[in-house]
Amino acid sequence: MNLTLYGYDDHWVAVDCGMMIRQDLPNSPLQVPNLDTPKALGIVPKALFITHGHEDHIGAVAWLWPMWSCPIYATPLAAGLLRLKFAEHQLSSAAIHVIEPGEALESGPFTLRYLLLTHSIPESCALVMMAGGYRVLHTGDWKLDPEPIIGTPINAAHFKALAPVDLIVGDSTNAPMPGHSGSEGDVARALAKTLSNCQGRVVISCFASNLARVLAIGRAAHRCGRRISLMGRSMERMVSVARGLGYMDDLPPLVPNHDLGYLPPDEVVIIATGSQGEPRAALQRLAQGRHPYVDLQPGDNVIFSAKAIPGNERPIEQLKKRLAHLGVSIYDEFNHPELHATGHPAQDELIKLYQWVRPKHLMPVHGEARHQQAHQAIAKQLGISAPLTPVNGDLISFDSHGLHCEARYPQPPCIVSQNSVVPHPGLEVNDANNKARRGSLYLALPVTATDTGWARIGRLMLDAASASPLDEDSFSDWLDDQLEEIAAETLADLRQALQPRLVHWLAEHMQHLPDVHLQIMAAEMPDTVILDNAANR
């Protein structure tokens, strides 16, 4: 989720308002930012600025914006997607204002300008914010793609003109990755080559928001004499909005799903949702033989043009086993890594951007602690001050003395339940009436899937607010042992197995059992751990 609040002279603005899918909860509900802290501090943003249209940046707007009722500024694609969400919630879209990349606007003491970047969705923008003589660059999500397929490469002159900036709030997602991220142009050529060598029907699964990838697939299919069809509501919705803005003008004509049975298999390319093993997505229905119009046959091909999101490894493996059982050839990130490119900057790109804008200070955001720490190391190499690795709920001041964490507020999770935002309940305990007065324990457990089970990655995020003392070292050791013992296919299964054990251990080791809030998060396995495991086999 992304929601950042910036304040100057008691005037506040918000940047992005995203949601996340809770993989560790049954039915994978949506989690949205908790607004209790800003409400308690009297913070109500006067404007909401959207950097781009990904769900982790816009997915919570329709749920939370009614508490603010402020103007919303977004580029055309993100604005179009937001209008669809507002219509679904029966909200007026009058507050949504379209702003073109490059435009500037004001909100109280803030002057902001949208600067176009390249990312895995068109119109991703950085925000240059000026207030009180300070110049802050909020990068949003980005990469340096020389051939983005849709849109133009980054204009270096626009960013060099900003130098020096006082503070950069920067994307850490791929900070541990050396070198340069791949280009969408390279992926397009790899897809075209692979497609030309395929016999039989071809299904390509990618993220619906990666419109450049969809367009590249359509062009490659047309050159190979194949017709294309979109499969999945999110794919159809995204392409529909993009077409209305002129981004997909040269996408070949689409074949409706119900007409696919009339075409020979070697004349078909299906662009489908479901690359992450989602149970109700199009690719899963195809793998289970449940699609009403298409049956995959031996000799058909499925291309995963997307990397596994942490936590989805096992569902994806189950999906691939079903496809293999049908006799389908599978192309993925392991046997054909050239068929996907990340949307975030690797180390060389971070260095190049920072050489352009010459920031004095850096606040590394996005990713996990190790990604932020790798980002800090790059800053140190460039002589940039980066003293903090912020976590959710940090109130940070920036002034002539640099960055300082003023306070840290726990962020109890809020989920969407039956069309309303509600606090996620704590774990079940017997003494329900006395939980609140015995304090609260918020536990965020980052884990990664291993060959045999699960393992904790990085720091244990623990906040025992007004609860009785807890030996965190013993607790961490016990958790590691439990993760090693528990056999679970998904994060939801892991949570269900861990929950009663956790309550039992805490009841034995704490004077009073607090209200316990557990969030199990999927984390990425660090390369060093992967190498160590390989060496020990």
Side-chain angles (χ1 to χ4, degrees):
M1 304 182 291
N2 290 277
L3 169 58
T4 309
L5 295 161
Y6 290 92
Y8 186 86
D9 275 352
D10 294 326
H11 184 101
W12 290 84
V13 298
V15 176
D16 292 329
C17 187
M19 64 84 181
M20 65 179 281
I21 297 173
R22 279 296 294 269
Q23 296 170 306
D24 64 326
L25 294 177
N27 303 317
S28 302
L30 305 182
Q31 181 172 328
V32 298
N34 187 327
L35 296 186
D36 287 351
T37 297
K39 184 178 179 181
L41 297 174
I43 295 172
V44 178
K46 301 295 186 183
L48 170 60
F49 300 95
I50 301 296
T51 61
H52 65 283
H54 275 149
E55 284 297 298
D56 61 330
H57 291 256
I58 67 170
V61 175
W63 301 106
L64 303 184
W65 171 83
M67 302 182 197
W68 302 332
S69 297
C70 62
I72 303 170
Y73 299 94
T75 52
L77 178 61
L81 296 171
L82 280 172
R83 287 194 184 105
L84 286 179
K85 290 179 180 294
F86 272 41
E88 291 170 358
H89 286 251
Q90 299 181 323
L91 295 171
S92 168
S93 59
I96 301 172
H97 303 277
V98 175
I99 183 164
E100 295 292 338
E103 283 190 44
L105 64 161
E106 294 183 354
S107 177
F110 288 91
T111 301
L112 302 96
R113 184 179 296 277
Y114 277 69
L115 289 182
L116 193 63
L117 295 159
T118 46
H119 183 43
S120 52
I121 188 172
E123 299 178 0
S124 191
C125 287
L127 290 175
V128 184
M129 295 182 285
M130 290 162 281
Y134 293 96
R135 196 194 313 248
V136 177
L137 178 64
H138 181 107
T139 68
D141 293 355
W142 66 281
K143 63 188 285 189
L144 295 182
D145 192 336
E147 199 177 354
I149 303 295
I150 292 179
T152 59
I154 290 178
N155 188 326
H158 289 167
F159 288 88
K160 290 178 179 177
L162 301 176
V165 299
D166 296 293
L167 171 66
I168 192 162
V169 179
D171 183 357
S172 310
T173 307
N174 277 338
M177 181 189 296
H180 200 288
S181 65
S183 169
E184 284 297 327
D186 293 333
V187 176
R189 285 181 284 274
L191 283 167
K193 181 179 178 181
T194 301
L195 202 54
S196 66
N197 293 329
C198 285
Q199 305 296 320
R201 184 183 288 107
V202 178
V203 179
I204 304 179
S205 189
C206 63
F207 296 116
S209 59
N210 197 332
L211 294 166
R213 195 77 49 86
V214 173
L215 183 58
I217 294 167
R219 290 171 175 172
H222 183 70
R223 286 196 294 270
C224 294
R226 292 177 180 260
R227 307 284 297 278
I228 63 169
S229 183
L230 303 181
M231 197 173 281
R233 281 179 294 177
S234 61
M235 184 77 68
E236 293 167 359
R237 183 168 58 245
M238 185 67 69
V239 170
S240 174
V241 173
R243 277 186 139 176
L245 295 170
Y247 282 128
M248 313 293 278
D249 286 348
D250 58 346
L251 185 72
L254 299 173
V255 176
N257 288 179
H258 55 73
D259 287 345
L260 288 171
Y262 300 109
L263 295 173
D266 59 359
E267 293 182 13
V268 171
V269 171
I270 298 168
I271 310 174
T273 58
S275 65
Q276 301 303 306
E278 300 97 318
R280 292 181 291 275
L283 188 57
Q284 192 72 254
R285 298 202 305 275
L286 289 170
Q288 295 176 1
R290 294 190 294 108
H291 198 278
Y293 305 116
V294 178
D295 289 314
L296 294 180
Q297 304 291 334
D300 287 345
N301 310 270
V302 173
I303 296 172
F304 287 81
S305 187
K307 184 181 178 182
I309 293 173
N312 293 336
E313 296 89 350
R314 289 208 170 89
I316 293 172
E317 282 307 307
Q318 293 297 325
L319 172 61
K320 290 176 182 177
K321 286 178 182 177
R322 292 190 185 101
L323 292 169
H325 186 70
L326 296 175
V328 170
S329 297
I330 297 172
Y331 301 77
D332 61 19
E333 61 183 289
F334 304 106
N335 57 21
H336 285 275
E338 72 278 6
L339 298 176
H340 175 63
T342 177
H344 300 272
Q347 292 176 0
D348 287 356
E349 293 156 276
L350 290 167
I351 291 170
K352 180 170 285 189
L353 179 67
Y354 296 171
Q355 288 173 339
W356 291 347
V357 301
R358 292 188 285 119
K360 299 173 185 175
H361 303 270
L362 165 73
M363 189 165 74
V365 295
H366 305 339
E368 301 148 26
R370 68 183 186 87
H371 300 89
Q372 293 175 306
Q373 289 159 5
H375 204 169
Q376 278 181 309
I378 293 170
K380 184 177 180 180
Q381 171 189 336
L382 297 175
I384 302 167
S385 171
L388 303 179
T389 53
V391 298
N392 292 331
D394 281 1
L395 179 63
I396 295 166
S397 67
F398 178 65
D399 54 27
S400 59
H401 301 291
L403 291 161
H404 309 276
C405 185
E406 297 288 332
R408 179 160 287 176
Y409 297 95
Q411 298 297 296
C414 287
I415 61 170
V416 175
S417 176
Q418 298 180 342
N419 291 326
S420 60
V421 177
V422 299
H424 179 254
L427 302 183
E428 295 296 330
V429 294
N430 295 326
D431 192 8
N433 294 327
N434 292 322
K435 287 189 296 180
R437 67 183 179 84
R438 291 178 175 174
S440 300
L441 187 149
Y442 300 99
L443 170 64
L445 182 60
V447 300
T448 188
T450 66
D451 292 339
T452 55
W454 300 87
R456 181 166 60 92
I457 292 292
R459 65 191 176 198
L460 180 69
M461 286 167 272
L462 182 69
D463 192 302
S466 64
S468 55
L470 171 68
D471 184 340
E472 293 189 20
D473 290 337
S474 297
F475 184 44
S476 296
D477 292 342
W478 175 84
L479 274 175
D480 291 341
D481 291 340
Q482 299 306 303
L483 291 173
E484 199 172 317
E485 288 178 14
I486 294 173
E489 286 297 311
T490 66
L491 289 184
D493 294 339
L494 176 61
R495 179 192 177 86
Q496 187 174 13
L498 182 60
Q499 182 168 318
R501 302 184 189 198
L502 178 61
V503 171
H504 181 72
W505 190 94
L506 292 172
E508 285 191 338
H509 291 80
M510 298 182 76
Q511 183 179 0
H512 300 293
L513 184 61
D515 186 6
V516 182
H517 299 268
L518 171 66
Q519 179 173 355
I520 303 178
M521 307 176 299
E524 204 172 35
M525 177 76 83
D527 293 338
T528 51
V529 174
I530 295 172
L531 292 173
D532 289 345
N533 289 345
N536 293 330
R537 285 197 189 107

